[in-house]
Amino acid sequence: QVQLVESGGGLVQAGGSLRLSCAASGRTFSTLAMGWFRQAPGKEREFVGSISESGAWINYEGSVKGRFTISRDNAKNTVYLQMNSLKPEDTAVYHCAAFNTYSDYAPSANTRFHYWGQGTQVAVSS
């Protein structure tokens, strides 16, 4: 079993930045691919991006590409989501997720991740 705890959410003005963290425990972190998702009120959950076990491969959803950066520190069992140039439409609860994998690749948006965190709220004011 893997436990995931997100932190770093908050209220920020449009154009600002936030860095989310997701701390993992319960399994060797370097054997997990990680993903970030978000869900805005009244909308379906949306894929933000993912990162491979090693960090060498990263996927981003189109609307965040160039603004958001996913990284990981396997020594700290933590994955990060650096969000820059935030827009009001980025307002959502952000969840991290983990996927058991036996090869080094960044999962696609359609991957059924195995473990999920509770989420952290991000609100962007205009």
Side-chain angles (χ1 to χ4, degrees), residues 10-103:
L11 174 63
V12 64
Q13 288 188 330
S17 298
L18 280 175
R19 188 175 83 154
L20 306 184
S21 300
C22 172
S25 60
R27 182 187 165 110
T28 303
F29 184 64
S30 59
T31 65
L32 297 169
M34 302 296 296
W36 284 99
F37 292 78
R38 64 186 181 185
Q39 188 164 19
K43 294 188 177 181
E44 293 190 354
R45 187 172 62 200
E46 177 186 31
F47 175 79
V48 174
S50 64
I51 187 167
S52 67
E53 296 175 335
S54 70
W57 305 100
I58 305 175
N59 284 332
Y60 294 103
E61 186 272 332
S63 70
V64 308
K65 206 173 284 187
R67 299 189 299 124
F68 290 10
T69 302
I70 298 174
S71 61
R72 65 189 294 161
D73 186 338
N74 286 350
K76 294 183 178 180
N77 293 348
T78 301
V79 63
Y80 303 98
L81 179 65
Q82 176 67 45
M83 304 185 294
N84 299 328
S85 302
L86 282 161
K87 305 175 181 179
E89 51 264 43
D90 294 318
T91 295
V93 175
Y94 283 72
H95 299 267
C96 69
F99 179 74
N100 293 328
T101 180
Y102 298 96
S103 59

Side-chain angles (χ1 to χ4, degrees), residues 37 45 47 50 98-99 105-114 116:
F37 292 78
R45 187 172 62 200
F47 175 79
S50 64
F99 179 74
Y105 71 98
S108 69
N110 295 324
T111 299
R112 298 185 75 173
F113 283 75
H114 297 109
W116 292 84

